[in-house]
Amino acid sequence: MEDLTEVYNELIMEHSMNSYNKKKLKNADFCEIGHNPNCGDEITLELKLNGNTIEDMAFSGHGCAISQASTSIMIDTLKGKTIEEAKGIIKTFIDMIKREITDEKELKKLEDAIAFKNVSNMPARVKCALLAWHTIEDILNKNN
């Protein structure tokens, strides 16, 4: 059986190089720029709601493999979720990166975003992984 870390690394590389979520969104309801001054990563996150549900999301911008992949995987994870579900998943992701949640059952709801679990061991990369998650959190907190 393949090492899980390897699977996660492949997933992160795939999303950082070939993200189908990196595009402009037509008729976005919300648009927010996330910026990490430490390394220059910058993303523009666009969000379209359908009532209380995240109908679509997209991003543009530039940054390291971790920030780009984290943004793309976050979009896959949150698309189709209600705002309340999304807020719960965002909190779980942030808590996982801060090492405040380690329970595997709790982390299952992160789906592919669990690939970033080991980023908590790389302090210089934590902000890269969290950039998009803090940006979507800002959008949802400001507008709901």
Side-chain angles (χ1 to χ4, degrees), residues 123-143:
R125 296 326 231 165
V126 165
K127 285 186 172 145
C128 306
L130 289 176
L131 179 62
W133 298 81
H134 283 310
T135 305
I136 187 66
E137 189 178 44
D138 288 347
I139 291 172
L140 295 178
N141 287 339
K142 267 197 263 184
N143 299 293

Side-chain angles (χ1 to χ4, degrees), residues 5-6 16 25 30 52 59 62 65 69 88-89 103 118 137-138:
T5 307
E6 242 176 76
S16 73
L25 201 60
F30 304 104
N52 198 24
F59 79 102
H62 57 84
I89 292 167
D103 178 24
N118 289 334
E137 189 178 44
D138 288 347

Side-chain angles (χ1 to χ4, degrees), residues 25-38:
L25 201 60
K26 283 189 168 101
N27 307 319
D29 294 315
F30 304 104
C31 180
E32 183 91 18
I33 294 173
H35 181 69
N36 179 353
N38 293 350

Side-chain angles (χ1 to χ4, degrees), residues 32-94:
E32 183 91 18
I33 294 173
H35 181 69
N36 179 353
N38 293 350
C39 61
D41 290 354
E42 186 172 293
I43 58 158
T44 299
L45 203 55
E46 295 177 304
L47 171 71
K48 180 152 185 49
L49 292 177
N50 181 350
N52 198 24
T53 302
I54 296 172
E55 183 176 297
D56 205 1
M57 290 172 74
F59 79 102
S60 56
H62 57 84
C64 68
I66 299 277
S67 74
Q68 298 290 287
S70 183
T71 305
S72 181
I73 291 172
M74 178 196 74
I75 289 171
D76 283 353
T77 306
L78 298 182
K79 214 186 295 185
K81 304 284 192 297
T82 66
I83 291 167
E84 284 313 306
E85 288 170 329
K87 284 181 175 181
I89 292 167
I90 293 162
K91 181 179 179 347
T92 300
F93 184 85
I94 292 169

Side-chain angles (χ1 to χ4, degrees), residues 103-129:
D103 178 24
E104 291 295 325
K105 265 197 341 235
E106 183 71 15
L107 296 177
K108 271 198 169 58
K109 71 174 153 196
L110 294 176
E111 299 167 18
D112 284 349
I114 200 170
F116 294 93
K117 187 176 178 192
N118 289 334
V119 168
S120 62
N121 301 325
M122 302 177 273
R125 296 326 231 165
V126 165
K127 285 186 172 145
C128 306

